[in-house]
């Protein structure tokens, strides 16, 4: 194993890097959509409860696991997990902590490339004379590789490679480079977000049009922040809230453990983990909720948002709305918005490279440049199909299996390892070593019992989601002997392609298109499986190397 010399330069740099890892595209793109689709105020209470009962315990766990493994010279999840148990198969569970990052960064960098090219289009005024429909179609043409794209064939591929190259260069400079980016990127992100949030909070009904005379930004704000206590009994909302916690905190990935592994043995992790977690929540709740929802409501009305809420709003709707503020401020708003998304994306994608680099340096003695380049090559191999076959669902398959299911599985297993295998007493001692705060003793009980049960429920709920997400009707149908009908969004239905088969059945005219989607989704899964097995083989081989070294 190579001797590690990399370390964090300052505590603020570590916190900003950790916060940057968590503060990503999900804070500004996914959170507003989840809030809208789950009833606004109905979503907030379950979301905050999930943060307290799942988010904070997972942060405590992953920071503790990381620092403990780093103390033993391990800087990636296979051997961080291996160091916590006498059973060496835990290192293969740790494969998730490398696999997830490589698979997610493959398509996540593609989204970063959208934000990068949209900044350029905003600066040169591409959207100035476009209608809302034309702005929406511009995005569709771009991802389908059909647009003019400055007359450059396959420009989305070239922009993707450029943005991936930026990531690789920064990664090759080590933790110092990541820390510098975090110190610059996070303040700029918050500044850009504050400008847009201030506008969202103050625009009121000033931008209502003849087409949407009832439009008022405050309707969007009230929709989000008016509590609806009935949601406390809706499993669908709880499932959505729990899922958002994973996305927003970047837990269950392996990057937090890797960052924490470079801490000193008695360096605080209790306050650091809470600080990075609450920084993320501050950005998401205060800024993330104050941009898309109120601005869109101020132009188009709340009813339009509820009906049309989706991931594409950021690229298909917001550029048009910014133009309505005038040429100058519209350009400033567009630069702030897409610049914010770019910095949110890159601070997260940089964190995804460190587990692979830490593993290759520990086990094979690779330097930073070689580790960064190899990570880039892997990401490129995995990522190119998400661009070339975007319309056939390659991107979506990565997002679902690597960016969703994998996170929950890994988080559940590492919680079991930390609290039951390593032992809660040992874990509590590790968490509190060098702590700058006193953690409430109740969290000892929450981490051991409540959090693992909630994670298991989230996984089971996703596995057997009933038709229409109607849980009460599903349980009632069982009691009457009618059985349990799965929803197309359930994990089992997706695994068997029942969701796509249902779409093909209901739309026979486009049957050939859905056949292609089934084919390419299968290829995407095979590619992810090959990646997982490749990493597992590397872990197996590294284990042999370790044994041979120990016998010398």
């Amino acid at each position: 194993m190579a001797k590690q010399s990399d370390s964090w330069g300052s505590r603020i740099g570590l916190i900003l890097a950790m916060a940057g890892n968590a503060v990503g595209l999900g804070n500004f793109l996914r959170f507003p959509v989840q809030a809208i689709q789950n009833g606004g105020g109905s979503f907030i209470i379950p979301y905050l409860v999930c943060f307290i009962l799942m988010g904070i315990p997972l942060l405590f766990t992953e920071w503790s696991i990381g620092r403990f493994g780093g103390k033993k010279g391990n800087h990636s999840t296979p051997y961080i997990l291996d160091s916590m148990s006498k059973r060496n198969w835990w290192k293969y569970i740790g494969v998730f902590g490398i696999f997830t990052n490589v698979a997610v960064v493959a398509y996540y960098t593609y989204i970063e490339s959208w934000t990068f090219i949209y900044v350029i289009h905003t600066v040169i005024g591409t959207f100035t004379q476009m209608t809302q429909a034309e702005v929406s179609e511009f995005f569709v043409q771009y991802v389908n590789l059909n647009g003019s794209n400055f007359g450059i064939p396959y420009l989305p591929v070239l922009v993707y490679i450029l943005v991936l190259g930026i990531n690789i260069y920064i990664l090759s400079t080590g933790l110092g480079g990541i820390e510098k980016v975090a110190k610059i990127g996070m303040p700029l992100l918050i500044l850009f977000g504050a400008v847009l949030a201030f506008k969202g909070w103050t625009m009121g009904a000033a931008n209502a049009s003849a087409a949407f005379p009832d439009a008022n930004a405050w309707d969007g704000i009230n929709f989000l922040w008016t509590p609806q206590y009935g949601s406390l009994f809706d499993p669908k909302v709880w499932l959505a809230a729990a899922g958002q916690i994973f996305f927003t905190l970047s837990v269950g990935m392996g990057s937090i453990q890797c960052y924490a592994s470079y801490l000193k043995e008695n360096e605080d992790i209790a306050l650091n983990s809470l600080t990075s977690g609450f920084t993320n929540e501050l950005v998401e709740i205060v800024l993330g909720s104050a941009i898309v929802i109120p601005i869109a409501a101020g132009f188009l009305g709340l009813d339009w948002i509820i009906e049309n809420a989706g991931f594409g709003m950021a690229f298909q709707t917001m550029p048009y709305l910014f133009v309505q503020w005038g040429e100058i401020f519209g350009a400033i708003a567009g630069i702030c918005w897409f610049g914010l998304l770019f910095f949110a994306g890159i601070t997260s994608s940089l964190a995804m490279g460190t587990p692979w680099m830490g593993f290759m340096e520990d086990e094979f003695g690779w330097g930073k440049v070689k580790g960064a380049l190899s990570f880039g090559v892997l990401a490129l191999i995995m990522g190119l199909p998400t661009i070339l076959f975007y319309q056939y669902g390659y991107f979506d398959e990565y997002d679902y299996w690597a960016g969703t299911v994998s996170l929950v599985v890994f988080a559940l297993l590492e919680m079991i390892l930390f609290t039951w295998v390593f032992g809660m007493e040992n874990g509590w001692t590790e968490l509190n070593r060098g702590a700058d705060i006193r953690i409430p003793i109740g969290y000892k009980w929450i981490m051991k019992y409540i959090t693992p049960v909630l994670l298991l429920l989230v996984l089971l709920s996703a596995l057997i989601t009933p038709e229409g997400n109607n849980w009460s009707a599903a349980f009632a149908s069982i009691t009457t002997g009618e059985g349990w009908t799965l929803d197309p969004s359930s994990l089992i239905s997706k695994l068997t392609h029942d969701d796509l088969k249902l779409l093909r059945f209901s739309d026979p005219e486009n049957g050939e298109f859905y056949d292609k989607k089934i084919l390419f989704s299968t290829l995407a899964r095979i590619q992810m499986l090959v990646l997982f097995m490749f990493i597992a083989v590397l872990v197996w081989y590294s284990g042999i190397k370790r044994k041979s070294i120990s016998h010398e």
Side-chain angles (χ1 to χ4, degrees):
M1 294 183 294
K3 184 179 180 180
Q4 290 285 345
S5 58
D6 221 357
S7 62
W8 297 104
S10 65
R11 183 168 186 170
I12 186 65
L14 166 65
I15 292 173
L16 287 176
M18 280 287 198
N21 171 36
V23 175
L25 298 169
N27 296 70
F28 302 99
L29 303 184
R30 195 176 190 275
F31 176 74
V33 172
Q34 288 296 307
I36 293 168
Q37 293 178 344
N38 290 281
S42 300
F43 181 74
I44 294 299
I45 295 176
Y47 172 79
L48 294 176
V49 172
C50 285
F51 173 65
I52 293 171
L53 298 181
M54 289 176 58
I56 292 176
L58 280 168
L59 286 173
F60 284 158
T61 297
E62 296 197 347
W63 278 71
S64 300
I65 287 175
R67 189 183 64 177
F68 180 85
K71 179 174 59 177
K72 296 181 177 295
N74 301 307
H75 302 84
S76 61
T77 51
Y79 287 103
I80 288 176
L81 267 58
D82 183 66
S83 67
M84 305 188 73
S85 170
K86 295 179 181 179
R87 299 184 181 276
N88 61 12
W89 52 263
W90 275 101
K91 64 176 178 283
Y92 295 107
I93 301 298
V95 170
F96 278 102
I98 300 177
F99 158 78
T100 299
N101 287 283
V102 176
V104 170
V105 84
Y107 71 87
Y108 197 88
T109 307
Y110 188 32
I111 306 175
E112 281 178 43
S113 73
W114 299 346
T115 68
F116 183 87
I117 197 67
Y118 265 64
V119 169
I120 295 175
H121 280 297
T122 300
V123 171
I124 66 177
T126 299
F127 307 115
T128 304
Q129 302 300 323
M130 286 186 177
T131 65
Q132 183 180 349
E134 288 172 337
V135 171
S136 179
E137 183 63 19
F138 178 89
F139 175 77
V140 174
Q141 293 297 320
Y142 184 83
V143 296
N144 289 339
L145 309 178
N146 296 326
S148 60
N149 299 321
F150 300 113
I152 303 174
Y154 291 96
L155 179 64
V157 176
L158 298 178
V159 177
Y160 172 83
I161 293 174
L162 173 62
V163 173
L164 182 60
I166 294 172
N167 278 271
I168 293 170
Y169 171 73
I170 297 170
L171 283 170
S172 70
T173 63
L175 295 183
I178 295 173
E179 192 171 338
K180 287 178 183 177
V181 171
K183 287 181 176 179
I184 296 172
M186 284 300 293
L188 281 176
L189 181 155
I190 292 172
L191 174 63
F192 290 163
V195 170
L196 294 170
F198 176 78
K199 186 65 176 178
W201 277 82
T202 58
M203 63 187 290
N207 295 98
S209 63
F212 299 97
D214 297 326
N216 191 316
W218 276 100
D219 288 341
I221 296 169
N222 290 332
F223 174 72
L224 183 62
W225 291 107
T226 301
Q228 302 292 328
Y229 298 103
S231 65
L232 296 176
F233 304 99
D234 188 344
K236 173 180 174 290
V237 177
W238 281 97
L239 185 61
Q244 180 60 24
I245 288 298
F246 280 94
F247 273 86
T248 193
L249 294 177
S250 294
V251 291
M253 291 191 69
S255 50
I256 289 178
Q257 297 93 319
C258 181
Y259 272 8
S261 70
Y262 292 95
L263 290 169
K264 296 179 178 63
E265 181 178 354
N266 293 313
E267 196 168 347
D268 168 79
I269 55 175
L271 181 58
N272 281 346
S273 59
L274 283 178
T275 303
S276 64
F278 276 100
T279 299
N280 174 78
E281 292 305 298
L282 179 70
V283 171
E284 178 157 290
I285 293 177
V286 175
L287 298 183
S289 67
I291 299 176
V292 173
I293 296 176
I295 290 176
F299 281 107
L300 305 171
L302 180 60
D303 291 339
W304 185 95
I305 295 177
I306 295 174
E307 184 178 344
N308 296 279
F311 178 82
M313 282 179 62
F315 300 94
Q316 294 175 274
T317 303
M318 299 301 284
Y320 169 77
L321 299 183
F322 293 146
V323 170
Q324 310 313 303
W325 280 330
E327 187 172 345
I328 296 177
F329 189 75
I332 293 173
I335 292 170
C336 285
W337 174 239
F338 294 113
L340 172 156
L341 293 179
F342 179 76
F343 284 119
I346 200 167
T347 52
S348 296
S349 61
L350 288 173
M352 297 177 201
T354 51
W356 167 266
M357 292 178 62
F359 175 73
M360 297 308 290
E361 187 171 358
D362 282 355
E363 308 307 322
F364 300 99
W366 286 20
K368 297 181 182 65
V369 174
K370 193 174 181 180
L373 285 173
S374 60
F375 176 74
V377 169
L378 268 181
L380 184 62
I381 293 172
M382 295 296 297
L384 278 178
T386 69
I387 306 171
L388 299 176
F389 309 119
Y390 178 88
Q391 61 182 318
Y392 297 119
Y394 229 96
F395 181 105
D396 297 329
E397 287 295 310
Y398 278 27
D399 185 45
Y400 182 74
W401 295 106
T404 305
V405 176
S406 179
L407 305 188
V408 181
V409 171
F410 186 47
L412 173 60
L413 293 174
E414 69 177 349
M415 282 299 301
I416 293 173
L417 170 64
F418 185 70
T419 60
W420 290 93
V421 179
F422 185 64
M424 194 62 239
E425 291 300 327
N426 292 331
W428 192 251
T429 299
E430 182 64 31
L431 174 60
N432 285 278
R433 181 179 293 114
D436 290 338
I437 59 170
R438 187 180 183 87
I439 303 173
I441 193 67
Y443 263 103
K444 191 175 181 180
W445 183 77
I446 290 172
M447 292 171 68
K448 187 172 183 178
Y449 299 104
I450 301 298
T451 306
V453 169
L454 288 176
L455 289 170
L456 183 60
L457 288 175
V458 168
L459 187 59
L460 290 176
S461 298
L463 188 71
I464 57 169
T465 307
E467 186 175 21
N469 261 312
N470 192 333
W471 291 84
S472 58
F475 283 115
S477 66
I478 283 186
T479 59
T480 58
E482 298 177 14
W484 186 284
T485 304
L486 293 172
D487 191 80
S489 67
S490 70
L491 195 155
I492 292 177
S493 294
K494 285 185 172 293
L495 186 64
T496 57
H497 293 305
D498 284 349
D499 55 335
L500 293 176
K501 292 175 183 176
L502 181 63
L503 291 172
R504 183 178 59 183
F505 177 78
S506 61
D507 186 14
E509 292 184 2
N510 291 308
E512 184 178 350
F513 171 74
Y514 290 113
D515 286 339
K516 287 184 177 180
K517 289 200 73 170
I518 292 174
L519 170 64
F520 282 108
S521 68
T522 301
L523 291 176
R525 295 176 189 181
I526 292 173
Q527 193 168 355
M528 284 186 283
L529 181 60
V530 169
L531 173 65
F532 190 94
M533 295 305 297
F534 170 68
I535 298 170
V537 169
L538 288 179
V539 171
W540 168 78
Y541 180 66
S542 67
I544 294 177
K545 283 189 64 180
R546 285 192 171 211
K547 285 182 180 179
S548 65
I549 292 173
S550 65
H551 291 154
E552 289 179 359

